[in-house]
Amino acid sequence: MSFLRTTSTENGEAINLYYTDYGSGDPIILIHGWPLSHQMWEYQIEPLVNAGYRVIAYDRRGFGNSDKPWGPYDYDTLAKDLNDLITTLKLTNATLVGFSMGGGEVCKYIAHYGTAALKKVALVSSVAAFMLQTDDNPDGVPAETFESFKAGVRKDRLGFLKEFGKNFVNYEANTDRISEAQVHFNWSIASNASPKATVDCIDSFGTTDFRDDLKKFDVPTLIVHGDADEVVPIKPSANQAAQIVKNSELHILKDAPHGLVFTHTEELNKLLIDFISK
């Protein structure tokens, strides 16, 4: 649909973000997970537009149709890209919906730019509050897991992404909810991402602590997570985030995997529309 010139540059040229923009009404900005693109929101865009909203879905730098710079891919930079989108399109009364890694952009955006342009936010299968296992975050994921992710991507990126894509939706347990074709399509999206971005973002979502950022949330917040998520454990993420964000509501979807946008589509869409419409 459109490309946005960000305020970031590489070798003197602006880094461009690809985005789609449908419907009218209060804006909803959909922020995709790693290592996918805006296309992961296919089954959310139509219902949200039909519910009376302007729905904007963009590709993170390094992914989808956006420019693929060498870097950086830290969350401060990614939040700056999001701010460029919001300010360039002059968006107000917006709802941010961050899935998985996308929850990090929501957190850092609010931490750096506040909530003046926002109405509500939603964190879906989000990495916030803090993924990394530390002494004060014992339920997190060991650092070795993220190192193995990076090693797998560097050794055989396409092979790694194929297996990760199955784990993303707990495929063997959800063959009645998601087709092999959809899993393959997700793989094709991920395979077209920048290899450098794919590796660097592992450090970003795996080691960034969002706990202090969540304390700055002062708009209604929806938190949705599956209790069968094998990618982002629920304890250090959704459960912890719900404890930190005062004006939040937590919905745990039974038997839902990480990629619940594909397997529990109707449940998620109803939660989003009901929450945003309040």
Side-chain angles (χ1 to χ4, degrees):
M1 288 285 290
S2 303
F3 284 91
L4 170 85
R5 289 172 60 86
T6 71
T7 56
S8 299
T9 61
E10 182 173 74
N11 297 328
E13 297 291 332
I15 294 169
N16 298 300
L17 299 183
Y18 176 85
Y19 69 98
T20 61
D21 189 349
Y22 302 111
S24 59
D26 286 344
I28 300 172
I29 304 173
L30 303 176
I31 310 170
H32 68 82
W34 176 93
L36 298 174
S37 75
H38 79 281
Q39 290 180 287
M40 66 157 282
W41 296 110
E42 176 178 351
Y43 304 107
Q44 282 69 50
I45 291 174
E46 182 179 3
L48 291 171
V49 170
N50 289 343
Y53 297 99
R54 177 183 178 186
V55 182
I56 299 162
Y58 73 97
D59 290 341
R60 179 181 294 111
R61 62 166 63 201
F63 297 83
N65 295 318
S66 289
D67 285 352
K68 297 174 173 59
W70 194 248
Y73 291 97
D74 61 276
Y75 269 112
D76 291 339
T77 300
L78 301 178
K80 182 171 177 282
D81 288 345
L82 173 57
N83 185 60
D84 285 341
L85 176 76
I86 291 172
T87 56
T88 300
L89 298 182
K90 297 182 173 63
L91 301 178
T92 59
N93 216 33
T95 296
L96 300 181
V97 181
F99 173 83
S100 191
M101 180 179 180
E105 273 101 330
V106 175
C107 292
K108 285 300 179 186
Y109 173 84
I110 290 175
H112 293 320
Y113 305 101
T115 58
L118 305 184
K119 176 184 178 181
K120 297 181 178 182
V121 301
L123 303 174
V124 182
S125 300
S126 169
V127 297
F130 188 23
M131 280 275 281
L132 183 66
Q133 185 181 74
T134 60
D135 290 342
D136 69 343
N137 195 47
D139 294 318
V141 178
E144 294 78 14
T145 299
F146 300 118
E147 291 303 314
S148 70
F149 275 26
K150 291 190 292 183
V153 171
R154 287 185 170 121
K155 181 180 180 181
D156 180 5
R157 184 171 62 93
L158 300 184
F160 172 86
L161 292 174
K162 181 178 180 180
E163 293 307 311
F164 179 80
K166 294 177 182 177
N167 294 335
F168 195 85
V169 294
N170 297 2
Y171 180 64
E172 296 302 326
N174 286 300
T175 54
D176 59 331
R177 288 179 173 268
I178 185 170
S179 68
E180 183 179 357
Q182 180 67 58
V183 175
H184 180 74
F185 181 59
N186 292 349
W187 172 86
S188 71
I189 296 171
S191 68
N192 284 300
S194 155
K196 178 69 161 46
T198 303
V199 169
D200 287 3
C201 284
I202 295 171
D203 280 333
S204 295
F205 70 71
T207 66
T208 303
D209 186 347
F210 301 105
R211 290 176 292 186
D212 285 341
D213 302 325
L214 289 166
K215 295 175 184 177
K216 300 178 181 179
F217 280 38
D218 59 1
V219 293
T221 301
L222 172 69
I223 301 172
V224 182
H225 217 92
D227 66 3
D229 192 325
E230 297 181 1
V231 176
V232 176
I234 194 171
K235 286 186 178 180
S237 58
N239 286 353
Q240 189 169 199
Q243 293 174 354
I244 297 172
V245 180
K246 295 179 181 179
N247 191 11
S248 66
E249 56 181 79
L250 172 63
H251 291 267
I252 299 173
L253 299 186
K254 182 176 174 54
D255 298 327
H258 186 62
L260 53 81
V261 296
F262 303 106
T263 60
H264 291 67
T265 309
E266 291 184 5
E267 296 96 319
L268 173 63
N269 293 352
K270 185 177 188 305
L271 285 171
L272 287 173
I273 292 171
D274 288 350
F275 171 72
I276 297 169
S277 300
K278 289 179 182 178

